[in-house]
C-alpha cells in the first residue's frame, strides 16, 4: 500500500468515525447486522428463513451457495435494495426497517457502495465522470485526495479521460470499485465481481478487494458462486434453502468446493 493511500484511508476513517472517544463507539458498531431476517415473495415463495448475520468492520466476507440458496436475496436485503418480510437489518448501525424508498435510497448513497458483474458504467461518460457520478447525484463534493489515492492504487491514472469501451474488462471493474469507494461507504457489496473477467483480471480484482479490507479497513461483502474467489475472503458463509448452513474462517477453495458438492448431493 502506498503512503499516499494509507494517509487518505486514515483521513477517510477519521471522517467517518468522528474524533476522540466517539471513535471506539463507532468502531464497535458492525457494518452490517441482520437479525432473524426472513423474505417471502408474493405467491408464498420464501427465500430467507430467519437469517442472522453480523459483518464486523474491516471484514471481507464471501457469501456462497447453490442456485436458489438465497444468497442474492440476502445481499439485496442487507444492502437496502429490498425490504425483508421480517427481522432487523442495520447498516452502519441504522435500522432500515420502516424506512421509505426515498430514505433507503439516501442511506445507500451515504453508506453503501456497489460493484456489479457487468460494471454498470455509463458508456457516454469518461472514467473520471463515472467515478464521481454517485457523488454528483447525492450533491456531495468529492474528496480529491481520497479519489486520487484510489485511482493511483488501481492504476487508472492515465485512463481518466477514456470511456468504458476503451478499457479492458479488468480496468472497467477497477473503475467501478473506485466509484463504489468514492463516498467512503461503511460497506461495499460486490455481486459476482469477477464473473465477466479472465483469470488474471479476476485475480487482480480479488486481490484489490482483499487489500481494501486489510489495508484500509473497508468492509466488503461479496456474493459469488466461485470457490476460488470466495477463498480470497477472510470468512465465507455458505447458504442453502434460504439459511446459513456453514461459516468458514480463512476458507480454502477445496473446502468450499467440497461443501457445495455436499449440498448438491443432499
Amino acid at each position: 500500500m502506498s503512503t499516499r493511500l494509507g494517509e487518505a484511508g486514515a483521513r477517510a476513517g477519521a471522517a467517518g468515525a468522528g474524533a476522540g472517544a466517539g471513535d471506539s463507539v463507532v468502531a464497535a458498531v458492525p457494518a452490517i447486522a441482520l437479525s432473524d431476517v426472513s423474505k417471502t415473495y408474493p405467491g408464498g415463495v420464501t427465500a430467507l428463513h430467519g437469517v442472522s448475520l453480523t459483518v464486523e468492520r474491516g471484514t471481507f466476507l464471501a457469501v456462497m451457495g447453490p442456485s436458489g440458496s438465497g444468497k442474492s436475496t440476502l445481499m439485496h436485503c442487507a444492502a437496502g435494495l429490498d425490504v425483508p418480510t421480517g427481522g432487523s437489518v442495520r447498516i452502519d448501525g441504522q435500522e432500515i426497517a420502516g424506512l421509505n424508498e426515498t430514505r433507503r435510497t439516501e442511506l445507500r448513497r451515504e453508506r453503501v457502495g456497489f460493484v456489479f458483474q457487468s460494471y454498470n458504467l455509463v458508456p457516454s461518460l469518461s472514467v473520471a465522470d463515472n467515478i464521481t457520478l454517485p457523488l454528483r447525484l447525492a450533491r456531495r463534493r468529492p474528496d480529491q485526495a481520497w479519489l486520487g489515492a484510489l485511482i493511483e492504487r488501481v492504476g487508472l491514472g492515465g485512463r481518466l479521460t477514456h470511456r468504458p469501451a476503451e478499457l479492458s474488462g479488468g480496468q472497467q471493474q477497477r473503475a467501478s470499485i473506485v466509484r463504489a469507494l468514492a463516498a467512503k461507504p461503511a460497506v461495499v457489496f460486490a455481486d459476482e465481481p469477477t464473473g465477466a473477467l479472465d483469470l488474471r483480471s479476476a485475480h487482480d480484482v480479488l486481490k484489490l478487494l482483499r487489500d481494501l479490507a486489510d489495508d484500509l479497513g473497508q468492509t466488503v461483502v461479496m456474493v459469488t458462486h466461485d470457490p476460488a474467489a470466495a477463498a480470497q475472503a477472510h470468512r465465507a458463509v455458505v447458504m442453502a434453502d434460504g439459511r446459513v448452513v456453514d461459516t468458514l474462517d480463512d476458507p480454502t477453495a477445496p473446502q468450499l468446493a467440497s461443501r457445495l458438492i455436499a449440498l448438491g448431493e443432499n
Side-chain angles (χ1 to χ4, degrees), residues 231-243:
Q232 300 300 312
H234 296 126
R235 175 175 294 179
V237 298
V238 181
M239 297 193 66
D241 299 324
R243 297 177 173 87

Side-chain angles (χ1 to χ4, degrees), residues 54-266:
T54 298
V55 186
E56 301 294 346
R57 294 175 185 273
T59 299
F60 181 13
L61 175 75
V63 181
M64 294 196 68
S67 178
S69 63
K71 60 184 183 295
S72 293
T73 302
L74 176 70
M75 187 192 79
H76 291 162
C77 289
L81 293 169
D82 202 353
V83 180
T85 306
S88 168
V89 176
R90 290 182 177 271
I91 300 175
D92 198 23
Q94 171 68 59
E95 174 64 61
I96 66 173
L99 297 181
N100 60 31
E101 178 57 34
T102 298
R103 184 65 191 102
R104 282 192 291 118
T105 298
E106 292 172 349
L107 180 66
R108 290 194 301 270
R109 285 179 180 173
E110 294 167 2
R111 306 190 194 185
V112 180
F114 293 97
V115 178
F116 301 97
Q117 177 177 337
S118 57
Y119 321 132
N120 284 19
L121 300 174
V122 180
S124 60
L125 297 181
S126 68
V127 170
D129 286 340
N130 266 288
I131 287 171
T132 58
L133 180 60
L135 291 172
R136 296 201 304 275
L137 292 174
R139 298 181 180 179
R140 293 176 58 183
R141 189 181 297 273
D143 181 334
Q144 295 297 343
W146 172 239
L147 288 182
L150 290 171
I151 290 165
E152 179 183 330
R153 173 66 178 81
V154 303
L156 290 177
R159 298 285 188 169
L160 295 180
T161 60
H162 290 64
R163 294 188 179 182
E166 299 175 284
L167 305 182
S168 69
Q171 289 170 330
Q172 290 186 64
Q173 193 61 294
R174 280 182 271 150
S176 75
I177 290 172
V178 176
R179 178 185 59 189
L181 291 167
K184 304 172 187 174
V187 59
V188 169
F189 287 94
D191 187 4
E192 299 283 5
T194 60
L197 301 178
D198 60 70
L199 288 176
R200 181 171 180 175
S201 296
H203 176 270
D204 290 344
V205 165
L206 290 168
K207 184 178 185 304
L208 174 60
L209 293 175
R210 176 65 183 243
D211 287 349
L212 292 173
D214 288 343
D215 296 344
L216 299 184
Q218 175 64 58
T219 309
V220 179
V221 177
M222 175 178 69
V223 172
T224 181
H225 69 282
D226 182 359
Q232 300 300 312
H234 296 126
R235 175 175 294 179
V237 298
V238 181
M239 297 193 66
D241 299 324
R243 297 177 173 87
V244 173
V245 296
D246 208 352
T247 301
L248 294 87
D249 291 322
D250 298 319
T252 66
Q255 281 179 323
L256 293 167
S258 176
R259 193 68 179 94
L260 290 179
I261 291 171
L263 288 174
E265 293 174 347
N266 291 336

Side-chain angles (χ1 to χ4, degrees), residues 32-37 48 51-54 74 77-78 88-90:
I32 297 291
L34 282 67
S35 177
D36 200 28
V37 171
L48 295 177
V51 174
S52 295
L53 179 66
T54 298
L74 176 70
C77 289
S88 168
V89 176
R90 290 182 177 271

